Amino acid sequence: MSVLPRQGGRDAYYTRIARAGMSPLWESMHALVPSQPTPRCTAVIWKYAEVRDCVLEAGTLISAQEAVRRVLMLENPGLPGQASVTSSLYAGLQLILPGESAPSHRHTQSALRFILEGQGAWSTVDGERTTMRPGDFIITPAWTWHEHGNLPAEQGGEPVVWLDGLDIPLVRFLDAGFAQTAEQAPQPPVVREGTHAARYGYNLGPVRAQTSRGASPLSSYPYERSRQALENLLRYEAPDQWDGLRLRYVDPTTGGWPMPTMGAFLQLLPAGFAGRVQRSSDSTVYCVAEGRGTARVGEFLMDFEPRDIFVVPSWSPLSLNASESSVLFSFSDRPVQEALGLWREERL
Ligand code: 1HN
């Protein structure tokens, strides 16, 4: 029978192999291959009523032009200093004041926006302007030129705030980040606002197939229409016991996700809805469009109201309750997990 060295012998050995750039798998194997996800992000809620003043105050300290993007990042307390709302995703609250503009640039990180308040702002994506209205879901896929602007106050411009979601931590993890500002390359030709909505936004498409650009040709999914879809569906379909009525935003040319790295959803919870417990492997960011209720994440209870933003970490048991008829927007890295064969859910 062999005699194994005592711990002291192992420690000296670990020190020696560390000098050679090696370490023993057997000391960390369980942590490397956990039996289920151990997300570092935590359940957390940003109450819009509590953070709104800070967002508006940024408008007194720096212009959108100087800031390039005037944003307060939403940092998950479990991931401090990492510009991360979940392990893979970034979120922030962006402010643009009447008459301001934020310069054109592009990057390999994909961005989505969910408009929280204010009228008059627009986003230009690959040369097509899109008006931003509260509740609209707007995308800027990877490597598309984009800039933002707002009408002067005399023409109805108001301070506009939206939630940004980007795949920054994911792209950083992959070391695949590239960016350009508009001075380095010309903006592509301008098409008139509404062109892509007319061509792709009505369950019709071009006769001569355009090859998919790898992301939805629609920059905007207006709230008015998305909300109406849910409202109509409620007349025909009983709400799911876990989700209420939940639909995902799609790329009309493929039926798939609007962008390859982030999926987004809109769901209606009727007044009095008491959802059953479920969990999924995609850490998810929720933003309340309408209504009031409670999200229970494990033992953590979060009361939500309009414009609040909360995080549900991977594999955390979630149940949703609505005291008023509620509409929730949400986004996650689910497309990435599905493409890699990783996504799982459990409905309890
Ligand atoms: C960006 O381009 C926007 O275009 C927002 O509004 C937030 C965060 C990091 C890098 C680029 C935008 C961003 C960003």
Side-chain angles (χ1 to χ4, degrees), residues 69 90 94 105 107 113 146 148 164 166 168:
R69 298 294 185 263
Y90 156 107
Q94 183 158 174
H105 68 188
H107 35 71
R113 324 198 187 277
H146 55 284
H148 313 304
D164 281 318
L166 286 90
I168 288 172

Side-chain angles (χ1 to χ4, degrees), residues 18-20 22 44 46 71 79 81 84 86 114 154 156 176 199 202 220 224 226 238 264 276 279 281 298 311 336-337:
R19 278 188 229 117
M22 297 184 286
V44 57
W46 285 270
V71 180
L79 299 160
S84 300
T86 69
F114 188 71
E154 312 83 72
R199 192 181 292 141
Y202 294 85
S220 176
E224 198 187 354
S226 312
R276 297 175 65 176
R279 56 184 176 177
S281 58
V311 173
V336 178
Q337 296 200 20

Side-chain angles (χ1 to χ4, degrees), residues 11 15 28 35 48 138 147 160 167 171 178 200 228 250 268 288 297 324 330:
D11 286 345
T15 307
S28 50
S35 58
Y48 192 70
I138 288 173
E147 60 192 281
V160 173
D167 53 9
V171 174
F178 295 87
Y200 295 103
Q228 192 173 36
V250 299
L268 178 73
V288 182
V297 179
E324 295 173 9
S330 53

